[in-house]
Amino acid sequence: MTELLGPAEIRALAAELDVRPTKKLGQNFVHDPNTVRRIVDLSGIGEGDVVLEVGPGLGSLTLGLLATGAEVVAVEIDPVLAGRLPSTVAERGGAERLTVVGADALRITADDLPARPTALVANLPYNVAVPVVLHLLAELPSLTSGLVMVQTEVADRMAAGPGSRTYGVPSVKLAWYGKTRKVAAVPRAVFWPVPNVDSALVAFERGDVVSSVDRERLFAVVDAAFSQRRKTLRAALASWAGSAERAGELLEKAGIDPKTRGEQLDVHQFARIAAAAG
């Protein structure tokens, strides 16, 4: 059984590397083995999977993922952490199934990776969680599922449905790729340093293509619709469409009341608007 990292090991590694967790990189390291096991169990990964882990840090979750028999491709932006991770894993077993890629997850493409990942499992930095997930889903069609740990507020936005107070751009764009749901809360005490926000796990599964409409065109409509939340779609989409009058025409063509607000529409309705403009 793989030996996971506890609080003492995490602090010893940080001291050895002279690592001081930074807010800029959103570094809050998980030091509770039971939390790691829970995340791995909820992810459903196992032997035969190629798991993409973003921001492995000191290796807590990496070791848990490797213990399932899966292959792990770990993308780490911090060169000091990226350099130490293979040794940490080698000391505990599973190094032959680990590849560390020193890169920014917001910039990687499929060609940067040694294998086509099937699942994303990660403790994501709060400030870039949504952009990272959207970028990876766009760049890596092989990703069919994921489980990410993010700030609770972000989790709510990712998994929200139409009409909800937290429904917005992330909700619709993630819905384009498939189903997203909030799975479980994660207590602050399992992190070092202890964050000043609550965390939660969010799962997603890639589904069928929503529409034949171009994704970028659809996303442009979504961005415009939520740029002025309190306005009707006729007004909010005016700059995107060229004028409020033209926006009204396109909405009617799509079968949507121009007085509707963006937060009331699901991804299929946004796709109809984008298609009407094409």
Side-chain angles (χ1 to χ4, degrees), residues 185-232:
V186 180
R188 299 184 187 192
V190 304
F191 296 98
W192 176 75
V194 177
N196 56 7
V197 293
D198 293 317
S199 301
L201 294 169
V202 175
F204 63 82
E205 292 178 20
R206 194 186 290 266
D208 296 330
V209 175
V210 167
S211 163
S212 59
V213 70
D214 177 70
R215 183 184 70 232
E216 294 308 316
R217 182 189 297 172
L218 168 62
F219 283 9
V221 176
V222 174
D223 287 334
F226 287 98
S227 64
Q228 303 173 77
R229 285 185 75 102
R230 290 180 182 153
K231 292 196 173 183
T232 64

Side-chain angles (χ1 to χ4, degrees), residues 59-182:
S60 304
L61 182 56
T62 313
L63 290 165
L65 295 169
L66 288 167
T68 68
E71 289 183 50
V72 176
V73 178
V75 176
E76 176 57 65
I77 194 172
D78 186 321
V80 173
L81 296 177
R84 181 61 168 89
L85 187 58
S87 302
T88 302
V89 171
E91 291 162 6
R92 292 165 174 80
E96 70 282 355
R97 287 179 281 106
L98 171 70
T99 304
V100 180
V101 178
D104 182 348
L106 281 169
R107 301 182 187 281
I108 61 168
T109 66
D111 292 340
D112 297 321
L113 305 177
R116 298 291 180 258
T118 55
L120 169 67
V121 184
N123 170 22
L124 292 177
Y126 297 150
N127 53 341
V128 294
V130 171
V132 163
V133 172
L134 289 172
H135 172 74
L136 295 175
L137 284 169
E139 292 289 334
L140 306 172
S142 60
L143 277 181
T144 57
S145 67
L147 182 72
V148 294
M149 185 153 55
V150 298
Q151 183 178 342
T152 298
E153 183 183 331
V154 175
D156 290 337
R157 291 205 299 268
M158 291 172 75
S164 147
R165 182 180 57 81
T166 52
Y167 185 69
V169 172
S171 325
V172 185
K173 290 184 177 179
L174 284 167
W176 163 263
Y177 291 102
K179 293 182 179 178
T180 304
R181 59 192 175 87
K182 187 175 170 183

